[in-house]
Amino acid sequence: MAVTSRANSDYGRFVDEVKDMSLFPLWERTGGLKPGSSCVPAHWSYAEVRPQLLRACDLISKKEAERRVLCLENPTLRGTTFICDSLFAGLQIIMPGEIAASHRHTPSALRFIVEGEGAYTAVAGEKLPMQPGDFVVTPAWAWHDHGNLGTAPVVWLDGLDTPFARFFGAAFREEHADDKQPIDRPDGESISVYGMNMIPDEYQSDGHSSPVLIYPYDRTRAALDSMTKAGKPHPAHGYRLRYANPATGKHPFPTMAVSMQRLPKGFSGKTYRSTGSAVFAVHRGTGHAQIGDKTFAIAPHDVFVAPPWTPYSFKADSEIELFSYSDRAGQEALGYWREQID
Ligand code: 1HN
C-alpha cells in the first residue's frame, strides 16, 4: 500500500532514494505473509512417461548421464529440476548390466521402487537389493551407487531435499574414487539389527536419518493389512503409516516425512490440507485425486504433487496404495507445520 501519493513528492523521492541504497520499505510490499506458494498441482501419467524413459536409454548411456533421471518439474519451476519449492522428484531407469557410479552429497535422498527386479543400491557400505514397493534411505553425505543385475529395466522414484540444500547454500557433492564403493557391512544388516524394535547399546543417533536403510514392501503391506483389520480408516488419509526412524520414533530424514497409505475400494475421502508440499506415487490401484481445482485420474506408478495449503482429497475405484513424501519433517523442526481437515 502506498502510504501517500508518490508522484513528484517528498515521499516518492524518499522511496526512489532508499531503493538505490538497496533498502525497501516493508509497508510498500505486496503479498506479505500467507500460507501457500505459487506451485501448482501437477500429475505425471506413468503410461506416458515410461516410453520416454526407455527412449532415454537408447539416446544416452548411464555413464554419460551418471544418473538417467527424468526430473518431474513443477510447471511453475521450469529449469530448476524441482517438483515443488522444497522437494525434488525424478524417475530413474537402469538397464540390465548398468551401474551408476558412487558419489555422495549433502541432500538426503529416498528411492521408491516402481518397476523391475534385480537392481540394488549400495548405501554407506551395505548392498540393498530392491523390489517394487520398497523404500530406500540414502542419508545426507552417505556414499551411494546403483546397479542392475537382473534381466529387465528397473525404474524407481528418486525423492530428494535438494531445494533445502540449495536454499541454504550448502549443496556439496563428491565423487567416489571407485565406481563401486567397498561393501563392508553384511547383507541385510541395517534392517536386521535396527529394524527389530531393538537398538545396539553403543548406537548414538545424530537424530537425523534412520539407521534402517531399506523398508521392504512386504513388511509395509503386512503392517497395512493388520491396520486395515484393526480399525476404521482416517476420513482423509484412509489407512496411513509413516516410516519411522527407530532410534527416535520421528521421521527417517531431517527434512522429509515418508508414508504409505491404503484407500479401500470405494473410499471417498474428506478434503485435507497442510503446509507441507507432498509428492505421491501410486503403488497400486486406480481412482481420482482432487488437488485444488484440478482432478487427476490416477493409475499405478503415476506421480503427482500437492502444493502447500492446497486442499486435496482422494477417491478409490479399486483399493489404492499411495507412497508419499513431504517436507513435513523440516517444517516440524522449524515450528511451521499446520494442517486442517474439512
Ligand atoms: C542423485 O544423486 C541421484 O544418486 C538421483 O541416484 C537423483 C537428483 C539430484 C541430485 C542428486 C542418485 C538426483 C541425485
Side-chain angles (χ1 to χ4, degrees), residues 20-58:
D20 287 345
M21 299 167 68
S22 300
L23 296 169
F24 184 81
L26 181 65
W27 61 88
E28 283 274 341
R29 82 179 148 179
T30 51
L33 291 176
K34 57 175 193 313
S37 80
S38 52
C39 284
V40 292
H43 165 262
W44 289 262
S45 150
Y46 192 63
E48 285 173 19
V49 175
R50 189 179 188 276
Q52 304 295 1
L53 285 167
L54 290 169
R55 198 166 158 211
C57 296
D58 289 336

Side-chain angles (χ1 to χ4, degrees), residues 67 69 88 92 103 105 111 144 146 158 160 162:
R67 293 336 194 219
V69 180
F88 171 96
Q92 178 159 179
H103 71 187
H105 37 66
R111 293 175 225 291
H144 54 285
H146 323 298
D158 289 308
L160 287 92
T162 42

Side-chain angles (χ1 to χ4, degrees), residues 58-300:
D58 289 336
L59 297 170
I60 187 146
S61 70
K62 194 82 177 165
K63 193 113 196 127
E64 285 170 296
E66 285 183 60
R67 293 336 194 219
R68 201 187 290 105
V69 180
L70 287 177
C71 312
L72 311 181
E73 277 188 336
N74 197 277
T76 65
L77 295 172
R78 296 247 159 86
T80 63
T81 74
F82 302 155
I83 192 164
C84 57
D85 291 308
S86 54
L87 298 169
F88 171 96
L91 285 166
Q92 178 159 179
I93 185 163
I94 182 164
M95 295 303 259
E98 289 183 334
I99 61 159
S102 200
H103 71 187
R104 62 180 177 177
H105 37 66
T106 44
S108 300
L110 65 82
R111 293 175 225 291
F112 178 66
I113 316 316
V114 168
E115 172 187 334
E117 312 263 334
Y120 68 87
T121 181
V123 178
E126 183 173 333
K127 196 169 184 178
L128 307 158
M130 305 186 291
Q131 305 279 337
D134 292 356
F135 154 51
V136 175
V137 172
T138 307
W141 210 239
W143 293 112
H144 54 285
D145 48 85
H146 323 298
N148 183 350
L149 306 173
T151 54
V154 173
V155 177
W156 62 74
L157 178 71
D158 289 308
L160 287 92
D161 61 6
T162 42
F164 281 80
R166 293 252 200 100
F167 176 79
F168 289 114
F172 290 88
R173 155 199 177 109
E174 189 182 358
E175 309 304 315
H176 199 281
D178 304 312
D179 281 356
K180 293 185 192 173
Q181 68 183 292
I183 300 301
D184 55 14
R185 296 167 67 179
D187 284 356
E189 191 214 26
S190 82
I191 187 161
S192 52
V193 176
Y194 296 89
M196 301 292 181
N197 296 325
M198 301 179 93
I199 296 281
D201 276 343
E202 65 279 12
Y203 176 70
Q204 293 277 339
S205 171
D206 62 6
H208 292 168
S209 285
S210 174
V212 172
L213 299 175
I214 186 161
Y215 294 75
Y217 175 64
D218 54 4
R219 291 193 181 197
T220 307
R221 187 185 50 217
L224 284 169
D225 286 348
S226 303
M227 193 186 185
T228 308
K229 284 190 200 115
K232 282 209 175 94
H234 179 278
H237 307 309
Y239 298 97
R240 189 168 75 171
L241 289 166
R242 65 179 174 83
Y243 296 92
N245 174 341
T248 62
K250 301 192 80 178
H251 302 291
F253 299 103
T255 45
M256 296 183 286
V258 190
S259 296
M260 184 80 101
Q261 70 200 90
R262 186 180 287 171
L263 311 174
K265 181 176 158 79
F267 181 81
S268 179
K270 284 201 170 190
T271 301
Y272 168 86
R273 67 176 171 177
S274 79
T275 49
S277 296
V279 178
F280 294 86
V282 182
H283 182 54
R284 295 198 298 117
T286 55
H288 289 85
Q290 169 86 40
I291 309 177
D293 58 5
K294 302 252 176 67
T295 307
F296 302 119
I298 56 173

